[in-house]
Amino acid sequence: MDTEFAYWVPNVSGGLVVSDWDTETDWTYDYNLDLARTAESVGFDYALAQARFFGSYGADKQLEALSIANALAAQTDDLHVIGAVHPGLWEPGPLANFISTADRISDGRFSINVVSGWFKGEFTGFGQSWLEHDERYARSSEFIEVLKALWTEDRATYDGRFYTIGKDIEGFEGAPMEPKPVQDPYPQVFQGGNSQAAREMAARHADVLFINGGSLQEIRAVIDDVEAYAEEFGTEPPRFAANAFVIQRDTEAESKEVLEGIIENATDEAVDAFKEQVKEAGQSSDEGEGMWADSDFEDLVQYNDGFKTGLIGTDDQIVERIRKLDAVGIDIVLAGFLDFEEELKRFGETIIPAIDEAEPLDPDAVDAVDEIETVGGAKVAR
C-alpha cells in the first residue's frame, strides 16, 4: 500500500484533547524538534503545525505555526512540514515570499494548510472583519490564486474582490517575487474544511484536502462531492487526508479504557466553549453541513473529531482500519496521539511498516458503511 502518514505538531499547550487526563505531551520547541526527528526516522511523511493565536479551550500557549514549521523543516532531512495559515490574518503577498524562502531552506519540504477560520474572536480581536462562512472560503480561494500567481509568474497581477496586487506600482509592471520556490510548479497547498464551500474550493485549488474524522460513509461522501466538483470545473481533484486520533494498545479493552478516561476527565467548560465557537464553521452555512455540524460534547474532546475515524484498538485492528480508509479514497492519514513521544514512535515502528507491506483492499469489496460504536459517549466508527 502507498498510504502516507502525517502527524499533528503539538505546538500548542494541552496536546490534542481538551481533557485533564494525564499526558506528557509538551508544546515547546525542543520537544517538537525531538519529535520531528523521531517522526522522520520511523517513517512519517508529513508534519502539520496547527495555528492558534489566542489562548483558549485548553491551549493557553501557542508557538506560531509558520515559524515552528520553518524551524522543524530546517532541522530535519526528509520530513515534509506544513504550516497552517488563515487568510485575513495573513496577507498573501509577503506570505508568498516567506513560503518560497522556507521551501528553499528545506530544499522543497515546506507547504501550507489554508484554514478559512472558525474562531471569530481571533479575527475581531486582531481588528479584522469577520466574514460569513461562504465568504471566508471565497476569500481563501482568492488568497491561493494570489500565492500561485506570485510563485509562477515573473510579474504577477491580480484584481479580485478581496485582493489586488501588481497594479499601480511605480517602477514595476506587476508584482515581482524572487526567488521562486523549489517545488515545481509551487509548494503543495493543503486545505481544511468539510462544508460544500470547502469542497468546491478544494476541487478548484487544493492539492490535498484535510477531512475531519468520521466514518467511512462520511469520508466517502466528501470525496465523492469533491471529485464531482472537479469534473464539473475541469480540474484535477486533490488527494485526501483523514484526521484520526490514535489509541494503540495491546488489547481493544485497554484502548477503550484510555478513551473513556480522556472523556471522563474532559475540561467541561473548555469543551462547551469550543462547541459554541465552532457554530461559526460549516453548520453556519446555508446547508448547515461541514466540520463539527453533528459533533456531540464527547466527540469534541478531540478538536477535529479524531475519535470518530476509529483508529482505536490493537495493531491488527488499526492496520485493517487504515486499509479500509485507503479503499474509500484516503491517501494520507493525519494522526494525533495522547502521549506523542511514546505513541508516535510505536505507531511508526509497527503500523507504518505493516501498511507498507499490506495488500490494498478491493474498493468494490469493502462495505463502506460503518457501524458506529459509542465509547465513553464518543462516536467511534467500526
Side-chain angles (χ1 to χ4, degrees), residues 50-323:
Q50 55 192 301
R52 184 72 68 83
F53 295 99
F54 285 10
S56 56
Y57 319 125
D60 296 326
K61 298 180 177 64
Q62 319 87 34
L63 296 179
E64 193 277 315
L66 292 176
S67 302
I68 192 168
N70 195 16
L72 296 179
Q75 296 296 321
T76 51
D77 298 314
D78 301 309
L79 195 65
H80 195 117
V81 185
I82 310 159
V85 298
H86 288 77
L89 297 181
W90 291 99
E91 287 295 322
L95 182 66
N97 187 253
F98 178 100
I99 295 165
S100 180
T101 301
D103 199 46
R104 287 185 166 268
I105 290 171
S106 63
D107 193 24
R109 293 182 293 110
F110 194 94
S111 292
I112 58 166
N113 180 34
V114 178
V115 183
S116 296
W118 54 266
F119 193 170
K120 180 178 179 180
E122 287 186 335
F123 284 79
T124 59
F126 282 138
Q128 301 298 315
S129 59
W130 178 246
L131 304 180
E132 293 304 313
H133 178 272
D134 287 8
E135 285 290 275
R136 299 199 297 275
Y137 280 93
R139 175 173 61 188
S140 292
S141 293
E142 288 196 7
F143 186 90
I144 294 170
E145 289 173 349
V146 172
L147 290 176
K148 290 179 178 179
L150 288 164
W151 287 333
T152 58
E153 299 173 16
D154 289 337
R155 292 288 188 268
T157 59
Y158 189 89
D159 190 6
R161 290 176 54 213
F162 300 95
Y163 300 105
T164 300
I165 65 164
K167 298 182 66 177
D168 301 322
I169 302 176
E170 185 176 351
F172 293 98
E173 293 182 3
M177 200 214 76
E178 291 290 347
K180 302 299 185 188
V182 172
Q183 293 177 72
D184 184 21
Y186 41 71
Q188 293 182 74
V189 175
F190 293 71
Q191 176 206 322
N194 283 24
S195 66
Q196 289 299 319
R199 298 175 198 191
E200 289 191 47
M201 176 177 148
R204 291 186 187 277
H205 302 296
D207 296 299
V208 180
L209 174 63
F210 283 124
I211 302 172
N212 252 23
S215 64
L216 295 179
Q217 57 265 35
E218 290 169 330
I219 290 169
R220 186 64 241 181
V222 175
I223 293 173
D224 285 345
D225 270 0
V226 174
E227 290 178 340
Y229 282 127
E231 184 174 358
E232 177 186 342
F233 303 150
T235 57
E236 184 71 22
R239 296 195 298 150
F240 298 95
N243 179 62
F245 191 81
V246 179
I247 305 178
Q248 179 186 0
R249 296 295 186 269
D250 293 336
T251 69
E252 182 179 355
E254 288 178 271
S255 68
K256 289 181 178 179
E257 286 175 8
V258 173
L259 177 53
E260 289 167 352
I262 291 170
I263 293 171
E264 286 173 4
N265 289 272
T267 313
D268 292 358
E269 184 178 349
V271 177
D272 284 334
F274 180 71
K275 183 178 177 66
E276 183 63 27
Q277 182 59 53
V278 296
K279 290 179 180 179
E280 298 286 351
Q283 56 193 292
S284 71
S285 63
D286 288 342
E287 73 274 8
E289 298 175 356
M291 295 172 71
W292 306 294
D294 64 347
S295 300
D296 297 326
F297 175 95
E298 292 82 4
D299 304 315
L300 293 172
V301 175
Q302 203 290 307
Y303 289 126
N304 288 89
D305 282 341
F307 302 145
K308 291 182 178 182
T309 312
L311 267 60
I312 297 169
T314 65
D315 293 10
D316 289 345
Q317 288 175 312
I318 290 172
V319 168
E320 187 64 17
R321 187 68 188 164
I322 293 171
R323 293 176 74 203

